[in-house]
Amino acid sequence: GWVVAGAVVGTPLAAAAVLMAAYLAFATVPPVPVPPENPITEQKRVLGKILFWDEQLSTSGTVSCGTCHTPTRGFTDNRLARNPGNDGVLNTPDDVHGSPGVLSSDLVNDYLRDPVFGVGPQITDRSANAVVNAAFAPELFWDGRARGRFNDPQTGAIAINAGGALENQAIEPITSTVEMAHAGLNWAMVTERLDQARPLDLATDLPADIAAVLTPETSYPDLFAAAFGDGEITARRIAFAIATYERTLIADQTPFDRFSAGETAALTALQAQGLQAMQQSNCRVCHQGDLFTDQSFRNVGLRPIAEDNGRQGVTNNLQDRGKFKVPSLRNVGLKRTFMHNGQFTTLTDVIRFYARAPGAAPQFPDNRDPVMQQINVPPQAANAIQAFLQDGLTDQRVLTAQFPFDKPVQYTERSAAHVALLPGGNAGTGGFLPRIFVASPPMVGNRDFRIGLDAAMGGATARLAVSTSPPIGGRIDPTTVFQPESANGVGAGLGLATYHWHLRPETFAEGQVLFVQWVVADPAAVGGEAWSNVARLTFFCGLSGCPSPCPGDRDGDRDTDSDDVALFFTAWEAGDNASDVDGDLDVDSDDVGSFFVSWDTGC
């Protein structure tokens, strides 16, 4: 028979009935806590949802909050990416499965060579926590650094006295130089970028609630005015809106919830057995109640503390060393990685770890929580526990990305819109073939489209060749060559450069195709020039359509004045492509006339 709370019952379903009665006292998800300073409104929720999924919130145009929080993965990361950990060596025991962020970039958004990741995406040093049901946590992130008091990031004033962990969590990635930002980014820069951006312009297939409020003319100031009474964009308001959206992501429609409400057949016999086994194995000591977490921080002995001291880094308390947040187990069956470092990629491995099964990952004793000695998962219970966790706690609305867990399709998910890299090139000093890379969306109107150069001769002069015709023999016949850049770096293969290209609508059109290739002055190369491979750029219009050309408005403030004249001539005298007003991929006197025609008419 099955033993439940001291009673012996004959079948798994009978056990389920007894367990149901035991859980009814606390099985309803509690009301969502909402700080009085930030009440939930529909306008604020929709704005938060738009911000959460807008890749334009990052300085690369390729990372949104939602990039690392995929609904069908329980709002954790769908991608597997390795951070080599403290030893800097991949595929060793201290590796972390983290989230890819932005390429390292400096204050002016020029690419930098990261000592670990080079010119590839940086990888976070912890796995992404779930956003679903995060509203119930008094402190967020694995180490709990997002606490209840929320101070306005721009003024320092207390904006939420208590209960503002979501607000603190929401804004941190936006200024993180690993996740979404270039070095030195401040909130004035963030708000200016949003003021100039058209909401969700990089996205397609909008959910119904977002589509209902976005027209081609809708601006972010319009959305902020609807949510807050006026169109001012501030860090505080960004945090308030995103947190409001996250407070509506509550997954409380699982088989377990139906079971708790009296539907005894909602759990299969094996799942019911797993729920009982979790209780008997003391898993529920930490994963308590209907939320399946006690919101505590514990050291389970997963890895040596020297790799990551966890909670201690926040509290400076030695007793907190190696402690990490106890996550909720709701939707755990949808996750791709588990634990703070993403060490396990299957629930089987997680259960084996807690069961201390033969061959399982070792446990490290320093400051390990005493509760670990109380956890006893017998081999015969493992399958049942896994069955319960895999499906019994899964909300089908999350699994299928149904409202409120729906989302738009992001630029990074549309491979057809990405820049294509083609073969070609001519090697330079040391046999290094310069490499072109593009990590920006070629969207008409993009103010900071960037083209990178890597593996060139350090200190050499580099130019960007542009052609309307495809390469022949791995080399393009340039229509024009843009201004020299410095291939910063020392020695062969270490040259790195960035070309910034404002994709002005008077120059580029939807579907237009250009081919670009770096040319590096290198005496060791055949012909004295090293050539990179080729990138094919296919320009596209954003969600709201291509912006109307306005060559006279150089500073983007929606008017034409003397500031625009100064900006134009500065760019024109430098031969900058931004002064190519007539769209012929050349900077000459014709552009001056075209500029003043637009400037005089005020667009």
Side-chain angles (χ1 to χ4, degrees):
W2 290 57
V3 179
V4 181
V8 178
V9 293
T11 67
L13 288 181
V18 176
L19 282 170
M20 180 192 69
Y23 282 110
L24 278 178
F26 58 89
T28 302
V29 170
V32 177
V34 180
E37 299 92 336
N38 187 22
I40 294 176
T41 68
E42 177 60 9
Q43 294 87 346
K44 204 187 303 176
R45 181 197 70 84
V46 174
L47 171 59
K49 188 172 184 177
I50 291 169
L51 289 167
F52 186 89
W53 291 107
D54 199 338
E55 292 158 301
Q56 296 173 111
L57 199 52
S58 69
T59 55
S60 67
T62 60
V63 181
S64 72
C65 302
T67 300
C68 302
H69 298 283
T70 304
T72 54
R73 289 291 185 181
F75 276 80
T76 59
D77 207 329
N78 187 45
R79 304 164 297 171
L80 282 178
R82 278 188 179 269
N83 180 316
N86 290 355
D87 65 6
V89 180
L90 284 172
N91 301 314
T92 56
D94 72 337
D95 284 7
V96 173
H97 277 122
S99 294
V102 296
L103 279 62
S104 181
S105 303
D106 65 14
L107 180 62
V108 296
N109 216 14
D110 280 353
Y111 291 116
L112 297 173
R113 181 174 286 104
D114 184 84
V116 175
F117 305 106
V119 293
Q122 300 171 91
I123 312 299
T124 60
D125 57 4
R126 291 176 185 158
S127 66
N129 267 312
V131 175
V132 175
N133 293 355
F136 296 108
E139 296 176 313
L140 288 165
F141 292 120
W142 282 108
D143 55 13
R145 64 186 181 276
R147 293 180 155 180
R149 173 173 289 182
F150 174 66
N151 293 336
D152 187 310
Q154 291 176 283
T155 68
I158 297 175
I160 295 177
N161 192 53
L166 270 180
E167 283 77 3
N168 280 311
Q169 171 270 327
I171 61 168
E172 182 172 311
I174 298 172
T175 56
S176 164
T177 57
V178 172
E179 297 182 67
M180 297 177 72
H182 64 61
L185 183 79
N186 60 43
W187 280 104
M189 298 175 184
V190 174
T191 57
E192 179 183 6
R193 189 166 67 251
L194 284 181
D195 184 66
Q196 296 174 348
R198 296 187 295 178
L200 277 178
D201 224 16
L202 287 164
T204 63
D205 302 294
L206 300 185
D209 56 343
I210 293 178
V213 301
L214 286 190
T215 70
E217 292 76 33
T218 303
S219 68
Y220 266 117
D222 294 335
L223 296 172
F224 275 81
F228 295 101
D230 63 69
E232 184 182 10
I233 302 174
T234 67
R236 174 181 175 274
R237 288 178 169 184
I238 292 170
F240 274 29
I242 294 176
T244 295
Y245 165 61
E246 292 180 336
R247 285 192 176 96
T248 68
L249 299 178
I250 306 301
D252 58 359
Q253 297 181 24
T254 70
F256 168 78
D257 293 302
R258 297 197 307 275
F259 167 82
S260 300
E263 186 182 334
T264 57
L267 293 178
T268 67
L270 188 61
Q271 290 168 354
Q273 179 184 351
L275 177 58
Q276 178 195 23
M278 284 189 66
Q279 187 74 29
Q280 293 175 333
S281 301
N282 288 322
C283 303
R284 297 282 273 163
V285 171
C286 302
H287 297 285
Q288 293 180 11
D290 192 58
L291 295 174
F292 284 82
T293 175
D294 65 354
Q295 309 290 4
S296 66
F297 297 85
R298 298 176 186 264
N299 179 353
V300 299
L302 182 68
R303 294 296 304 160
I305 290 170
E307 292 178 7
D308 189 337
N309 67 356
R311 181 71 168 166
Q312 183 187 10
V314 176
T315 65
N316 293 316
N317 185 342
L318 185 65
Q319 298 305 311
D320 285 337
R321 65 189 187 278
K323 292 183 178 180
F324 295 92
K325 187 174 184 60
V326 174
S328 170
L329 297 181
R330 283 182 172 267
N331 297 301
V332 70
L334 302 181
K335 296 180 66 175
R336 195 168 185 184
T337 65
F338 307 87
M339 319 303 271
H340 72 274
N341 62 356
Q343 179 172 334
F344 303 130
T345 56
T346 69
L347 278 172
T348 301
D349 287 337
V350 175
I351 295 170
R352 285 173 54 81
F353 170 79
Y354 284 107
R356 295 179 289 279
Q363 295 184 354
F364 296 85
D366 184 17
N367 202 40
R368 185 173 53 189
D369 198 299
V371 75
M372 291 296 290
Q373 296 301 318
Q374 304 172 29
I375 297 174
N376 177 28
V377 182
Q380 65 271 23
N383 287 341
I385 291 175
Q386 182 161 341
F388 173 70
L389 295 177
Q390 186 68 52
D391 298 310
L393 289 176
T394 298
D395 190 318
Q396 288 295 308
R397 298 171 304 157
V398 179
L399 173 62
T400 57
Q402 297 178 38
F403 180 86
F405 310 106
D406 50 353
K407 62 178 283 296
V409 175
Q410 301 186 100
Y411 162 73
T412 49
E413 299 174 281
R414 306 193 313 273
S415 58
H418 296 181
V419 172
L421 298 181
L422 309 178
N426 181 37
T429 300
F432 287 98
L433 182 69
R435 182 176 73 90
I436 194 169
F437 62 97
V438 184
S440 297
M443 180 179 72
V444 177
N446 187 349
R447 293 173 174 272
D448 196 14
F449 181 68
R450 296 180 293 165
I451 299 177
L453 166 68
D454 187 31
M457 179 66 190
T461 297
R463 297 170 296 153
L464 186 67
V466 183
S467 177
T468 56
S469 301
I472 298 175
R475 183 167 175 171
I476 65 173
D477 182 15
T479 304
T480 188
V481 177
F482 287 140
Q483 66 189 44
E485 298 287 323
S486 172
N488 296 314
V490 179
L494 295 177
L496 180 67
T498 308
Y499 191 73
H500 296 262
W501 203 346
H502 182 175
L503 304 183
R504 300 188 67 92
E506 54 267 19
T507 305
F508 302 96
E510 186 167 28
Q512 180 181 355
V513 176
L514 291 178
F515 300 87
V516 294
Q517 186 172 34
W518 284 99
V519 183
V520 182
D522 189 336
V526 175
E529 290 181 335
W531 291 68
S532 73
N533 57 320
V534 178
R536 182 180 67 227
L537 315 179
T538 304
F539 300 98
F540 64 90
C541 292
L543 177 72
S544 57
C546 279
S548 299
C550 184
D553 178 20
R554 311 306 291 181
D555 55 10
D557 63 358
R558 301 182 180 91
D559 65 13
T560 52
D561 53 25
S562 58
D563 294 337
D564 300 300
V565 177
L567 287 171
F568 170 77
F569 276 106
T570 298
W572 186 81
E573 290 171 358
D576 193 322
N577 70 80
S579 58
D580 175 26
V581 176
D582 57 12
D584 63 357
L585 299 179
D586 195 9
V587 177
D588 55 24
S589 58
D590 294 338
D591 298 300
V592 178
S594 298
F595 166 74
F596 275 109
V597 168
S598 176
W599 189 84
D600 286 340
T601 59
C603 301

